[in-house]
Amino acid sequence: MAAKHWDRKDLLGLESLSASEIEFILDAAKSFSKSSKTFDTLKGSTVAFLFSEPSTRTRSSFEVAARRLGADVLGFSVAASSLLKGESLLDTIKNLEAMGVDYFILRHEQSGVLEPLAPLTRASLVNAGDGAHEHPTQALLDLYTLREKKGRIKGLRVVIVGDILHSRVARSNIHGLRKLGAKVTVCGPSALIPAGIEAMGVSVSHDLDESLRGADAVNVLRLQLERQNQNLVTSLSDYFGGFGLTAERLSRSPGCLVLHPGPMNRGVEISSEVADGPQSAILEQVSNGVLVRMAVLSLIQGWRTRRGR
Ligand code: CP
């Protein structure tokens, strides 16, 4: 049954959402695609960013979305904050909330850090990536892009290739794709596929050429070398040879859409010819990210308004 309205203060991940809640967000995003107007949905609200890991797309995209909805945006830098003097994340949130911050967009290196904090604040928390756990708005914009390009999600065959072990994007995508009825294959070297991932309802492959046969889309993930404390791949050139998406490989799957959440390591997991080629929707994903984040913020604002917050 389709969701009638959004009934959550926070967006922490896709695992806890129903298929109809996910579709509700995608439909709301679509409604923003029809004009480049600005709105006053969040007028009088303040959005703050707590990012303890780097970001180009997510942070900027949320900022564009928040401003288009009329919010005030607090330019807060974790690196120049008292978090570095040992203040806890909760105390930081409570202090900024006391100044009138209504929304926190958070990125953190620790998986699951937001769940215990959310009930302790009146502000709304939106997960912009926590460890290897979830990156819900990235998966939502991937789903939105797939739905726009393929006309549906149900029944699609989607390959996620790369560093699945460290990837919050993979986990959120798997939750979303499975809930909406897609068939998912995760592909990569054994060392980068977490044990037991089949329990999430996916197939596992170590052969990219075989995985791509008949695939509707391939989501290419970056090797997260900064999270690897041991050499999980023999060399970057070996990795590219085995799992890099090249034009030659893709030529056997002419209907396969290419996605990548960014940042891309060209020549490591994807060739420039593919990244910039006709099957790539990578920059469309980035554009769609603004729509999806506008949808998330405005749906949560609806919840806050109904609760008198
Ligand atoms: N896709 C993504 O999360 O990109 P950033 O790290 O640049 O935000």
Side-chain angles (χ1 to χ4, degrees), residues 49-55 59 76-79 83-84 89 105-110 113 129-131 168:
F49 294 88
L50 295 180
F51 274 52
S52 60
E53 288 185 340
S55 169
R59 181 171 175 148
F76 182 86
S77 162
V78 165
L83 279 158
L84 271 68
L89 189 52
I105 317 298
L106 300 106
R107 173 168 287 187
H108 201 277
E109 60 281 358
Q110 193 183 319
V113 72
D130 61 327
R168 51 200 178 208

Side-chain angles (χ1 to χ4, degrees), residues 51 53-60 107 128-129 135 137-138 141-142 168-169 222 260-263 293:
F51 274 52
E53 288 185 340
S55 169
T56 294
R57 280 147 292 272
T58 312
R59 181 171 175 148
S60 306
R107 173 168 287 187
H135 190 347
T137 59
Q138 179 64 48
L141 74 88
D142 294 343
R168 51 200 178 208
V169 174
R222 181 176 70 90
H260 192 307
R293 288 164 179 135

Side-chain angles (χ1 to χ4, degrees), residues 11-17 115 127 133-136 172 175:
L11 177 65
L12 305 183
L14 295 196
E15 184 175 12
S16 57
L17 299 191
E115 274 77 2
N127 185 0
H133 180 220
E134 286 238 28
H135 190 347
S172 288
H175 289 307

Side-chain angles (χ1 to χ4, degrees), residues 202-217:
V202 301
S203 308
V204 172
S205 167
H206 305 297
D207 183 335
L208 181 56
D209 295 302
E210 185 186 85
S211 303
L212 287 175
R213 216 170 290 136
D216 296 294

